[in-house]
């Protein structure tokens, strides 16, 4: 069975590489030629731990290729994983333009039976639109099936998530489609849940939105901790010990970012509204998240009073550690607000600097990109922690204090122990604790 992966972005590239590593014959394609050129040469266009090694291994084995021609990919594949982007439209709904475009292209090139698998995150009922589009435009009377196989990988651990899944959801409406997907994922046969397509589509949006709700909930509790003597880290720990609640996704901070939670919770709210369902719970979670960067700024003002001309070091620009992705990163909003206030920013991130430069080009002294944490911290009136990279947790705080003009840390991710930081003479502003 030949598999084609359409769209080799974060999800598509990982999917292509990992499916090849599972022993399948895979061809990836994308509309951006550089992504295909790089992948063909064994270079991943994103930073993702372990991805490049696996990419090279499977290119060498000969079971993985990357081609520019979408029509050719469609014609020569039996199964097509569609992993194109489904971005947010202005009204919050998911933009299905790229999915529709690919569906049209599949219709044009349908030369034999194909299973079309939705890998992108799509609103419930999307498969009906894909089927309708292909049926309306196909040039030959050839059978096809559509299935949903949502992806649950996290950036920063994408390869390991793909190859060690908690669950694989397969939404199908024919036995043929079910058997093909069961065979592709046979290595994980104990982890597979087969459902109808609407259910599979909804599982994805419902899961992401639930995790976003959980984060907003803990952030709300964190705000209450700040007004009292409660400590959010211990509240989270105490709550998480209950297996019904679980300890994951209870880390309070500057809010959730990334290319998925912010867009998916909005998209689910829109679908709910379209079907006349009360979605205020989702909207409230989103509102709480939007407030996080404002509350963080208030904390910086509490520490520095006037922000104009203050040198502010920022450690962590990516939306989470272990990735160079800055889509919807909380750092962007915080940087924007500090620039409006006239602060001088000294920015550092282990992987995301190049991406951030595209949004905020270097312009010293307002915007300076440091090559290391130490360089960023040098002469700063305050240090902000926005992403919890491991290397920041290991900083030598005595050295940090010597480098800074004023020993002030505003920690949006609670990476330090308050008593330890304070004993070294820092003014420390953590999140949800004192
Ligand atoms: P991305 O923007 O990184 O990748 C999408 C790719 O599709 C791009 O490279 C784009 O050039 C390509 N593309 C667009 N139209 C195309 C076409 N007609 N033919 C060929 N290629 C085309 O996006 P992503 O982060 O990989 O997300 C893709 C989907 O997967 C989204 O629906 C997203 O919600 C979902 N998802 C993302 C993650 C994640 O961690 N990023 C995890 C799970 C699910
Ligand atoms: C998330 C989901 O975890 C994946 O299962 C899903 O496949 C993916 O979205 C998607 O659909 O794209 P990802 O966005 O890569 O993965 O990263 P997460 O680890 O979930 O973090 C998302 C955001 O929430 C980050 O900004 C992170 O800092 C924040 N977060 C996470 C918190 O603020 N607190 C937490 O306790 C956990």
């Amino acid at each position: 069975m030949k598999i084609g992966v359409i769209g080799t972005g974060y999800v598509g590239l990982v999917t292509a590489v990992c499916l090849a590593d599972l022993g399948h014959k895979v061809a990836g394609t994308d509309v951006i030629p550089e992504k295909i050129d790089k992948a063909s040469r064994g270079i991943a266009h994103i930073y993702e731990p372990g991805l490049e090694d696996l990419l090279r291994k499977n290119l060498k084995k000969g079971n993985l290729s990357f081609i520019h021609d979408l029509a050719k990919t469609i014609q020569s594949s039996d199964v097509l994983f569609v992993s194109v982007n489904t971005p947010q439209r202005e009204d919050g709904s998911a933009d299905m333009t790229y999915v529709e475009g690919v569906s049209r292209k599949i219709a044009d090139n349908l030369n034999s039976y194909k299973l079309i698998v939705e890998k992108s995150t799509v609103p419930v009922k999307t498969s009906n639109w894909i089927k309708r589009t292909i049926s309306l435009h196909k040039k030959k009377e050839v059978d096809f099936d559509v299935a949903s196989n949502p992806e649950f990988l996290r950036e920063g651990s994408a390869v390991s998530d793909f190859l060690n899944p908690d669950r694989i959801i397969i939404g199908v409406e024919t036995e043929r489609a079910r058997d093909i997907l069961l065979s592709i994922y046979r290595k994980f046969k104990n982890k597979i849940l087969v459902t109808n397509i609407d259910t599979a589509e909804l599982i994805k949006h419902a899961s992401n939105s639930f995790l976003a709700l959980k984060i907003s909930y803990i952030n709300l509790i964190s705000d209450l901790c700040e007004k009292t003597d409660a400590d959010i880290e211990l509240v989270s720990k105490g709550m998480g010990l209950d297996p019904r609640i679980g300890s994951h996704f209870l880390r309070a901070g500057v809010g959730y970012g990334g290319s998925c939670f912010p867009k998916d919770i909005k998209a689910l709210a829109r679908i709910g509204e379209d079907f006349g369902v009360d979605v205020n719970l989702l909207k409230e979670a989103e509102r709480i998240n939007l407030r996080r960067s404002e509350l963080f700024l208030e904390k910086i003002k509490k520490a520095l009073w006037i922000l104009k001309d203050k040198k502010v070091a920022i450690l962590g620009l990516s939306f989470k550690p272990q990735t160079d992705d800055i889509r919807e990163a909380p750092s962007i909003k915080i940087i924007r607000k500090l620039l409006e206030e006239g602060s001088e920013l000294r920015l550092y991130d282990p992987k995301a600097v190049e991406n951030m430069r595209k949004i905020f080009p270097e312009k010293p002294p307002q915007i300076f990109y440091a090559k290391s944490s130490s360089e960023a911290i040098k002469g700063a009136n305050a240090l902000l922690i926005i992403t919890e990279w491991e290397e920041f947790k290991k900083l030598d705080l005595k050295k940090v204090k010597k480098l800074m003009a004023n020993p002030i840390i505003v920690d949006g991710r609670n990476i330090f122990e308050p008593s330890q930081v304070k004993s070294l003479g820092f003014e420390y502003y953590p999140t949800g604790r004192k």
Side-chain angles (χ1 to χ4, degrees), residues 232-275:
I232 191 63
E233 293 298 316
L234 291 173
V235 172
S236 295
K237 190 172 177 187
M239 286 171 64
L241 288 171
D242 182 337
R244 292 171 305 173
I245 296 174
S247 59
H248 298 289
F249 281 71
L250 286 180
R251 290 192 324 273
V254 284
Y256 58 77
S259 64
C260 292
F261 285 177
K263 93 170 159 58
D264 290 346
I265 197 166
K266 280 193 199 78
L268 183 59
R270 275 306 305 235
I271 307 157
E273 278 173 343
D274 290 349
F275 285 104

Side-chain angles (χ1 to χ4, degrees), residues 152-155 204 208 249 251 257 260 319-320 413:
F152 299 101
L153 63 79
R154 292 161 300 172
E155 289 184 22
K204 175 63 194 178
N208 270 9
F249 281 71
R251 290 192 324 273
C260 292
F319 83 98
K320 62 181 278 191
R413 297 290 184 180

